[in-house]
Amino acid sequence: MDTVKLYSSSAEREVYENMAALYAIITSLEYLERAFARDSVSATEYTSECSKLLLQYKTVSQMVSGDELANFSHTYRLNCPAATRRLEVGIPSTIEHSNASGSGTNAKHVADAVKGFITTMDALSLGMRSVDRLHPLLTDLLQSINNAPFVPTDFKWKPVF
């Protein structure tokens, strides 16, 4: 049996290694989601590992040639619906579905507010100064802050409608 070389240069080898890493991350996330659904993994362990895998996915997916998740999954015949959903949402299930009394809800609201703040700051640093571009970003930021249950009712920017 002859050996088939997938690459002829170190750059091509790096591409294949990155795609293999992406495949492994997606598959690992699928098994983690299934284990959590079966209660084989504690919520703390799940949150920690899921966050780590999500960060790894974001890093490795930038190194792979911009393939979208759906295209990558179809091309390499990945059947990972739970991992695909988790990657689309971008946060662990424990944070997404936490109850109102838990700190997970607070973390979700804080994450939404931080996301809005960073997006607005990025727009400003890119030189966007028109009201048409900044108003929707600021509106989203204030809505995410106002949706947080821990913000006092007398907060100066709470809407009075």
Side-chain angles (χ1 to χ4, degrees):
M1 184 180 254
D2 293 328
T3 345
V4 177
K5 276 196 135 182
L6 295 175
Y7 51 86
S8 59
S9 69
S10 62
E12 288 179 8
R13 179 180 179 189
E14 186 71 24
V15 169
Y16 283 109
E17 286 179 355
N18 288 337
M19 289 190 327
L22 190 61
Y23 189 95
I25 290 167
I26 294 169
T27 305
S28 299
L29 189 57
E30 178 70 19
Y31 284 112
L32 180 64
E33 288 291 321
R34 289 180 185 181
F36 182 66
R38 282 189 234 116
D39 203 26
S40 300
V41 178
S42 73
T44 307
E45 289 175 317
Y46 166 80
T47 303
S48 166
E49 292 302 314
C50 186
S51 297
K52 185 173 88 174
L53 287 169
L54 289 170
L55 288 173
Q56 289 174 341
Y57 172 79
K58 288 177 185 176
T59 303
V60 174
S61 66
Q62 292 173 355
M63 291 187 267
V64 175
S65 65
D67 271 350
E68 289 189 23
L69 178 60
N71 293 339
F72 186 84
S73 296
H74 179 70
T75 303
Y76 298 103
R77 296 184 181 141
L78 270 169
N79 184 19
C80 299
T84 302
R85 167 78 174 118
R86 188 59 39 222
L87 291 168
E88 288 171 355
V89 172
I91 56 174
S93 179
T94 51
I95 295 173
E96 180 186 16
H97 300 293
S98 62
N99 60 13
S101 64
S103 64
T105 301
N106 291 346
K108 181 179 178 185
H109 289 294
V110 168
D112 287 342
V114 168
K115 180 179 77 170
F117 180 77
I118 290 172
T119 304
T120 304
M121 290 302 297
D122 287 345
L124 289 170
S125 68
L126 290 172
M128 293 182 193
R129 299 287 190 261
S130 68
V131 173
D132 295 347
R133 295 217 169 167
L134 292 177
H135 186 268
L137 298 175
L138 288 169
T139 301
D140 290 344
L141 173 60
L142 284 175
Q143 283 178 345
S144 65
I145 292 171
N146 289 332
N147 288 338
F150 52 84
V151 175
T153 54
D154 63 342
F155 177 58
K156 170 175 160 174
W157 298 107
K158 280 268 189 191
V160 191
F161 319 77

